[in-house]
Amino acid sequence: MNPPSVHRRALITWLAIYPGITVLSVLLGPTLAPLPVYLRTLVLTAILVPTAVYVLVPALLKANAALTGRRRAVGRSGGWRTVRPVGRTPGTATVDPAAPERNRTPAAGAPARR
Protein backbone atom coordinates (compact mmCIF):
# COMPACT_ATOMS: atom_id res chain seq x y z
CA MET A 1 0.00 0.00 0.00
CA ASN A 2 0.97 3.62 -0.29
CA PRO A 3 2.76 5.51 2.47
CA PRO A 4 0.78 8.16 4.36
CA SER A 5 0.15 11.47 2.61
CA VAL A 6 2.48 14.40 3.15
CA HIS A 7 -0.17 16.07 5.33
CA ARG A 8 -0.50 13.03 7.58
CA ARG A 9 3.31 12.74 7.85
CA ALA A 10 3.50 16.43 8.81
CA LEU A 11 0.90 15.82 11.53
CA ILE A 12 2.80 12.74 12.75
CA THR A 13 6.05 14.74 12.88
CA TRP A 14 4.32 17.52 14.81
CA LEU A 15 2.86 14.95 17.22
CA ALA A 16 6.42 13.80 17.93
CA ILE A 17 8.08 17.23 18.14
CA TYR A 18 5.59 19.33 20.13
CA PRO A 19 5.22 17.02 23.16
CA GLY A 20 8.95 16.27 23.04
CA ILE A 21 9.92 19.94 23.19
CA THR A 22 7.37 20.55 25.93
CA VAL A 23 8.61 17.67 28.09
CA LEU A 24 12.28 18.54 27.58
CA SER A 25 11.63 22.21 28.35
CA VAL A 26 9.90 21.32 31.60
CA LEU A 27 12.52 18.77 32.63
CA LEU A 28 15.63 20.68 31.58
CA GLY A 29 14.33 24.27 31.86
CA PRO A 30 15.75 25.04 35.30
CA THR A 31 19.09 23.42 34.45
CA LEU A 32 19.42 25.25 31.12
CA ALA A 33 18.05 28.61 32.32
CA PRO A 34 21.50 30.21 32.88
CA LEU A 35 22.56 29.41 29.29
CA PRO A 36 21.94 31.78 26.37
CA VAL A 37 18.93 30.94 24.16
CA TYR A 38 21.03 29.57 21.30
CA LEU A 39 22.77 27.08 23.62
CA ARG A 40 19.47 26.01 25.21
CA THR A 41 18.09 25.41 21.74
CA LEU A 42 21.21 23.49 20.76
CA VAL A 43 20.92 21.18 23.77
CA LEU A 44 17.17 20.61 23.32
CA THR A 45 17.46 19.86 19.60
CA ALA A 46 20.51 17.64 20.12
CA ILE A 47 18.34 15.46 22.35
CA LEU A 48 15.00 15.74 20.58
CA VAL A 49 15.93 15.33 16.90
CA PRO A 50 17.57 11.88 17.23
CA THR A 51 14.82 10.78 19.62
CA ALA A 52 12.13 11.89 17.19
CA VAL A 53 13.83 10.43 14.10
CA TYR A 54 14.75 7.05 15.56
CA VAL A 55 12.04 6.46 18.18
CA LEU A 56 9.01 8.74 18.14
CA VAL A 57 8.23 9.13 14.42
CA PRO A 58 8.71 5.41 13.59
CA ALA A 59 6.45 4.49 16.53
CA LEU A 60 3.81 6.98 15.40
CA LEU A 61 4.04 5.75 11.79
CA LYS A 62 3.55 2.19 13.01
CA ALA A 63 0.55 3.26 15.09
CA ASN A 64 -0.83 5.14 12.08
CA ALA A 65 -0.46 2.04 9.90
CA ALA A 66 -2.22 -0.09 12.50
CA LEU A 67 -5.05 2.41 12.85
CA THR A 68 -5.55 2.87 9.11
CA GLY A 69 -4.96 -0.77 8.17
CA ARG A 70 -1.95 0.03 6.01
CA ARG A 71 1.12 -2.11 5.57
CA ARG A 72 4.58 -0.64 5.38
CA ALA A 73 5.60 0.17 1.85
CA VAL A 74 8.79 -1.48 0.63
CA GLY A 75 11.05 0.47 -1.62
CA ARG A 76 13.51 3.29 -1.59
CA SER A 77 12.20 4.54 1.74
CA GLY A 78 14.27 1.91 3.56
CA GLY A 79 11.35 -0.20 4.71
CA TRP A 80 11.84 -3.81 5.78
CA ARG A 81 11.89 -6.28 2.95
CA THR A 82 11.00 -9.94 3.08
CA VAL A 83 13.33 -11.97 0.90
CA ARG A 84 12.39 -15.49 -0.01
CA PRO A 85 15.17 -18.01 -0.59
CA VAL A 86 16.03 -18.37 -4.24
CA GLY A 87 15.73 -21.93 -5.48
CA ARG A 88 18.47 -23.26 -7.70
CA THR A 89 17.81 -25.29 -10.75
CA PRO A 90 20.88 -26.84 -12.40
CA GLY A 91 22.00 -24.81 -15.39
CA THR A 92 20.22 -21.58 -14.40
CA ALA A 93 21.56 -18.36 -12.95
CA THR A 94 20.71 -17.43 -9.39
CA VAL A 95 19.03 -14.05 -8.99
CA ASP A 96 18.94 -12.41 -5.58
CA PRO A 97 16.07 -9.84 -5.53
CA ALA A 98 17.54 -8.14 -2.44
CA ALA A 99 20.93 -7.50 -4.03
CA PRO A 100 20.67 -6.62 -7.73
CA GLU A 101 24.40 -5.88 -7.87
CA ARG A 102 25.06 -9.60 -7.28
CA ASN A 103 22.87 -10.78 -10.14
CA ARG A 104 24.69 -12.42 -13.01
CA THR A 105 22.61 -10.76 -15.72
CA PRO A 106 22.12 -7.00 -16.12
CA ALA A 107 18.69 -5.52 -15.45
CA ALA A 108 16.43 -4.88 -18.42
CA GLY A 109 17.56 -1.76 -20.23
CA ALA A 110 20.85 -1.54 -18.32
CA PRO A 111 24.03 -1.16 -20.35
CA ALA A 112 26.20 -4.26 -20.50
CA ARG A 113 29.39 -4.19 -18.44
CA ARG A 114 32.69 -4.64 -20.20
Side-chain angles (χ1 to χ4, degrees), residues 54-71:
Y54 295 112
V55 178
L56 299 175
V57 172
L60 289 169
L61 285 171
K62 189 175 180 180
N64 175 64
L67 290 172
T68 59
R70 296 175 186 230
R71 299 171 88 189

Side-chain angles (χ1 to χ4, degrees), residues 70-92:
R70 296 175 186 230
R71 299 171 88 189
R72 253 180 110 175
V74 175
R76 294 184 180 179
S77 65
W80 290 97
R81 175 190 315 240
T82 303
V83 179
R84 292 184 204 101
V86 178
R88 291 190 180 194
T89 305
T92 61

Side-chain angles (χ1 to χ4, degrees), residues 81 95-107 113:
R81 175 190 315 240
V95 177
D96 182 1
E101 68 277 359
R102 286 192 225 145
N103 295 340
R104 294 182 186 173
T105 56
R113 291 186 182 174

Side-chain angles (χ1 to χ4, degrees), residues 12 25 27 38 40 51 62-63 67 85 109:
I12 288 169
S25 294
L27 293 176
Y38 64 91
R40 279 183 278 179
T51 303
K62 189 175 180 180
L67 290 172

